[in-house]
Amino acid sequence: MRKILFNYQDPSSEDVQSKRDFDLVLKKVKAQQDYWKSPWFYGAIGFASILSFLIFI
Amino acid sequence: MSSTSLYHQSDTRIQTELQIIERAKRDPKDFAPLYNQYHESIFRYVVKRVNDSDLACDITSNVFVKAITNLQKYEFRGVPFSSWLFRIAKSEVYQSFRDQKAKRTVSIDKVTIVQVFEELNLDDDEENKAKLSRALRRINEKELALIEMRYFEKRSYREIGEIISVTENNAKVKTFRALQKLKVLFKE
């Protein structure tokens, strides 16, 4: 069920600008890149592939 | 009619953005000018739909994370970079509804609602507000998105078209049909 607001008040520009945090964005980007580069990620993928192969044969 | 949109004004501006994008593909830190330029409009787009400032903050942050991580795939095809960001924002907002983190909200301010009733040739009274609420709850999501962008956020047909990946004319036709549908639902 949608909520309909007829008296919506736009936040002020100052309020919106106070929420800017580019450092946080960069941290999240780095965390994502590190995740894909992580040996744990590829280790888990490799383990799952070997397991699937063994189950298959 | 585009008070919400930050639209490209000139080829020089587009070229400057493309240079920033090329630099940011090599180093995400170089994305900062685009983040500073578009953060506010993306945040406003999101918060109107989720009605939760903290969640809107998270979603906006994720929009830029996705933009930076997918920047290698971005190719300029005559469509402003902001439209690409709005498409990501749209997808992130719908994901938050699917994850049940947010409730779909339609936010209309006091001035806009008067203009909407003028467009519909109706009085701005409580009875009509209740009927409009019912109609806005019943209309399908795609039609609602068009009405929202055109009438509640005052975006141009060109920008709407670029956000939903259709031509300006097609956006105009679809929005007209959505308004007709809303009028029918209003009368039921």
Side-chain angles (χ1 to χ4, degrees):
Chain A
M1 179 81 136
R2 292 169 188 152
K3 189 173 168 182
I4 315 292
L5 297 176
F6 284 124
N7 54 354
Y8 177 74
Q9 275 197 312
D10 255 328
S12 68
S13 275
E14 292 75 30
D15 188 24
V16 179
Q17 281 171 24
S18 71
K19 297 178 191 308
R20 274 189 199 168
D21 190 349
F22 188 58
D23 287 339
L24 177 68
V25 171
L26 287 179
K27 268 185 204 165
K28 286 183 181 178
V29 169
K30 193 172 181 313
Q32 277 202 6
Q33 287 169 343
D34 290 349
Y35 176 77
W36 293 107
K37 285 177 193 168
S38 155
W40 286 105
F41 175 77
Y42 290 103
I45 294 278
F47 179 73
S49 305
I50 293 166
L51 198 65
S52 310
F53 178 72
L54 289 175
I55 291 169
F56 181 73
I57 59 163
Chain B
M1 187 158 184
S2 75
S3 63
T4 325
S5 61
L6 260 176
Y7 230 63
H8 298 286
Q9 300 297 316
S10 65
D11 286 345
T12 318
R13 191 165 160 187
I14 290 175
Q15 287 308 318
T16 309
E17 279 195 356
L18 289 175
Q19 286 166 8
I20 296 170
I21 291 164
E22 284 311 309
R23 284 202 301 274
K25 281 180 181 177
R26 293 188 289 273
D27 185 353
K29 282 180 194 155
D30 287 333
F31 193 86
L34 294 174
Y35 176 82
N36 292 333
Q37 188 176 348
Y38 293 118
H39 172 272
E40 187 167 340
S41 50
I42 296 293
F43 178 84
R44 287 185 189 283
Y45 173 93
V46 174
V47 76
K48 277 186 169 182
R49 286 156 176 82
V50 301
N51 190 36
D52 179 332
S53 191
D54 291 337
L55 181 63
C57 214
D58 279 351
I59 294 174
T60 305
S61 179
N62 290 341
V63 169
F64 286 100
V65 171
K66 285 226 163 136
I68 294 172
T69 50
N70 289 294
L71 206 55
Q72 300 295 341
K73 294 178 201 162
Y74 175 79
E75 279 179 41
F76 179 68
R77 289 178 184 159
V79 175
F81 184 67
S82 59
S83 302
W84 193 63
L85 290 177
F86 279 114
R87 284 209 285 269
I88 299 174
K90 190 176 116 192
S91 150
E92 288 295 298
V93 164
Y94 287 135
Q95 188 58 51
S96 77
F97 300 144
R98 283 193 293 274
D99 296 344
Q100 297 184 332
K101 286 180 185 167
K103 188 174 179 179
R104 175 66 161 109
T105 305
V106 181
S107 302
I108 317 165
D109 62 63
K110 284 178 185 169
V111 177
T112 305
I113 192 64
V114 174
Q115 293 166 349
V116 169
F117 280 125
E118 275 175 12
E119 183 83 27
L120 297 167
N121 292 319
L122 293 164
D123 292 330
D124 170 26
D125 57 30
E126 290 308 311
E127 191 189 341
N128 282 336
K129 278 184 185 170
K131 281 183 175 179
L132 184 62
S133 277
R134 266 200 309 276
L136 288 171
R137 285 193 181 102
R138 290 176 62 201
I139 200 162
N140 78 40
E141 185 55 44
K142 281 184 180 173
E143 290 162 334
L144 174 63
L146 290 165
I147 287 167
E148 203 170 26
M149 286 193 281
R150 178 64 184 172
Y151 298 103
F152 307 159
E153 296 175 344
K154 300 176 177 64
R155 293 181 198 276
S156 68
Y157 289 119
R158 185 179 159 201
E159 188 179 14
I160 294 171
E162 284 163 356
I163 293 171
I164 64 166
S165 306
V166 298
T167 63
E168 184 178 353
N169 258 346
N170 203 345
K172 201 170 180 175
V173 171
K174 281 174 184 275
T175 308
F176 176 78
R177 284 181 188 154
L179 186 66
Q180 296 308 308
K181 174 91 172 281
L182 186 71
K183 284 178 181 174
V184 170
L185 291 172
F186 185 91
K187 285 174 191 164
E188 278 178 3

